[in-house]
Amino acid sequence: MSDDGHQHKGHEHVPSRQRRRFEGISSRAYEHPADRSALVALRKLSGFDTVFKALSGLLPERSLRLLFLSDSVRVSDQQFTHLNDMLRDACYTLDLEKVPPMYVNQDPQPNAMCIGLDEPIIVVTTGLVELLDEEEMRAVIGHEVGHALSGHSVYRTILLFLTSLALRVAWIPLGNLAIMAIVTALREWFRKSELSADRAGLLVGQDLRASMRGLMKIAGGNHLHEMNVDAFLQQAEEYEAGGDLRDSVLKILNVLPRSHPFTTVRAAELKKWAESRDYQRIMDGHYSRRSEDKDTSVTDSFRESAASYAGHVRSSKDPLMKLVTDIAGGAGDLGGRVRRGFGGFTSPPPPKDRPASDQPHSDEPPTDTAPRDGD
């Protein structure tokens, strides 16, 4: 049902709650700048579609489709009808013309994915369906539809294939290194694409609290009465700002093998975007249109991506990011700061009132530091 209360062909079973629809919206409207710049560049490559269609014969996509068709439950008007309603509603809200097939797979681990080269397919696990309530699940399905609209399923499938290939050729040193370099770069891009899809989920559900609840449940299980959104977001701030340079390095090492950002970070990023002018403009009907995609400048997209990364570094409370900012600003005593950073920023400074015998020697005459009457 649309905002004007009329039913549209093929969407008779959408939930009755009215939400804003984004007719003709381009995925560029909600994509993270780093995600958007990579996608714009790939779409501009001559022969890009031909190359990936040729690759589709090498990838296990057909096998995956047959596997889900034979060993999962396909969402339809007869099976998981409430999920089917949400899927249609999500596609209608983001104006995705062809509704992708969706399957429910028996797996206690809460998870969802959108894969496929020729056509995207969405898979959700029983663990996720049982964990989330209706509005939380709507945000997740919107997240996956956002992946489909952006074309992320293509690169996700490539990433799965390359990760599997890297394991098979691990005995070839140089070959494995080359593939893992590509996998590492793809993972960095895909982590940003997850932030984009979280935004799409918010546009579909149009309920920030539901999106936050879903992320908290994915992190801590079905114990909402034991969790608090503000405290959860505080964890993200503590994670970013806490520790010293050693912790900064460990954060990088921890996130490198992951395809998704950490859950608290996703929640903080989504809340920040929901409070931004960009989100409000989309809700007001001012957004990029698909009809304009062909005119998008690769240079402008990369410039926006670079500005986003630079802004993140400047505003970050992470010790390593602070050090990078100081280097860029020409701050002095950087060597000392690095040594102190790896020694722990939390170490107390030496006392200023040490005995004279402990003071360092100097060629300068000593100064009188004794307190005077009236000081």
Side-chain angles (χ1 to χ4, degrees):
M1 182 147 324
S2 67
D3 291 339
D4 59 9
H6 290 90
Q7 291 182 332
H8 292 255
K9 185 178 180 180
H11 295 281
E12 292 84 359
H13 300 288
V14 299
S16 59
R17 175 184 167 185
Q18 294 183 356
R19 292 176 177 80
R20 184 175 296 278
R21 185 189 185 216
F22 307 102
E23 186 174 359
I25 190 172
S26 168
S27 60
R28 293 182 294 111
Y30 59 79
E31 285 165 352
H32 185 281
D35 173 28
R36 184 168 59 243
S37 64
L39 291 174
V40 168
L42 287 171
R43 290 164 186 156
K44 291 285 185 177
L45 285 178
S46 178
F48 174 75
D49 292 338
T50 304
V51 170
F52 274 101
K53 284 182 179 179
L55 277 176
S56 65
L58 303 175
L59 300 179
E61 180 185 8
R62 187 178 297 274
S63 174
L64 285 174
R65 289 180 183 277
L66 291 173
L67 178 64
F68 290 125
L69 186 63
S70 63
D71 206 31
S72 300
V73 176
R74 183 163 59 190
V75 172
S76 67
D77 289 332
Q78 292 80 39
Q79 302 184 118
F80 288 102
T81 55
H82 70 295
L83 296 182
N84 193 46
D85 289 344
M86 293 182 200
L87 177 62
R88 289 183 173 185
D89 189 36
C91 292
Y92 176 71
T93 301
L94 294 180
D95 199 13
L96 184 63
E97 293 183 5
K98 188 171 183 180
V99 178
M102 184 163 77
Y103 295 89
V104 176
N105 184 45
Q106 170 61 30
D107 186 343
Q109 182 70 27
N111 197 15
M113 61 179 173
C114 181
I115 58 173
L117 288 174
D118 294 326
E119 294 180 359
I121 60 174
I122 295 173
V123 181
V124 296
T125 65
T126 52
L128 189 68
V129 174
E130 293 163 5
L131 177 66
L132 305 182
D133 68 23
E134 182 174 336
E135 293 306 308
E136 295 156 7
M137 195 68 200
R138 189 185 308 281
V140 168
I141 292 176
H143 173 111
E144 299 306 325
V145 170
H147 276 314
L149 181 59
S150 288
H152 291 155
S153 60
V154 173
Y155 317 112
R156 173 64 168 172
T157 306
I158 296 292
L159 177 58
L160 289 172
F161 172 71
L162 290 177
T163 303
S164 174
L165 181 61
L167 295 175
R168 295 177 187 175
V169 300
W171 59 276
I172 308 176
L174 294 180
N176 184 52
L177 286 175
I179 293 174
M180 286 310 300
I182 298 173
V183 168
T184 299
L186 277 173
R187 280 177 177 158
E188 165 60 16
W189 159 76
F190 200 78
R191 286 190 290 272
K192 296 299 185 291
S193 77
E194 285 299 312
L195 301 180
S196 299
D198 283 343
R199 297 175 179 183
L202 179 58
L203 291 176
V204 167
Q206 298 174 26
D207 186 344
L208 180 60
R209 291 174 300 175
S211 294
M212 290 294 175
R213 291 199 310 268
L215 288 170
M216 284 198 303
K217 283 185 176 181
I218 290 172
N222 193 14
H223 304 280
L224 274 179
H225 62 288
E226 297 285 351
M227 294 185 277
N228 178 275
V229 171
D230 292 334
F232 190 65
L233 293 172
Q234 180 62 36
Q235 288 181 228
E237 186 173 343
E238 183 178 338
Y239 169 79
E240 182 182 7
D244 54 27
L245 289 180
R246 291 171 298 184
D247 293 306
S248 297
V249 174
L250 289 174
K251 291 176 192 175
I252 295 172
L253 295 177
N254 284 341
V255 81
L256 277 179
R258 295 175 60 94
S259 62
H260 289 56
F262 292 114
T263 317
T264 57
V265 175
R266 289 173 63 183
E269 287 286 338
L270 184 60
K271 184 174 185 293
K272 185 188 305 180
W273 187 71
E275 296 171 348
S276 71
R277 175 67 175 158
D278 290 340
Y279 175 72
Q280 190 56 55
R281 282 181 57 81
I282 294 175
M283 295 303 295
D284 290 340
H286 306 293
Y287 49 80
S288 302
R289 308 276 170 163
R290 253 169 270 168
S291 58
E292 304 163 351
D293 283 351
K294 62 182 182 302
D295 301 321
T296 305
S297 167
V298 176
T299 303
D300 290 345
S301 298
F302 275 112
R303 188 179 294 116
E304 291 175 9
S305 176
S308 173
Y309 274 113
H312 173 72
V313 171
R314 285 194 302 270
S315 62
S316 176
K317 299 177 182 178
D318 182 83
L320 182 58
M321 294 298 100
K322 286 184 178 179
L323 183 63
V324 170
T325 303
D326 287 344
I327 292 174
D333 192 28
L334 289 176
R337 289 203 56 183
V338 171
R339 288 192 297 272
R340 288 196 301 274
F342 281 103
F345 283 131
T346 57
S347 301
K352 296 182 179 179
D353 55 347
R354 290 182 299 181
S357 59
D358 292 341
Q359 296 290 342
H361 294 290
S362 173
D363 294 333
E364 297 293 327
T367 57
D368 182 10
T369 58
R372 298 182 177 86
D373 293 338
D375 286 351

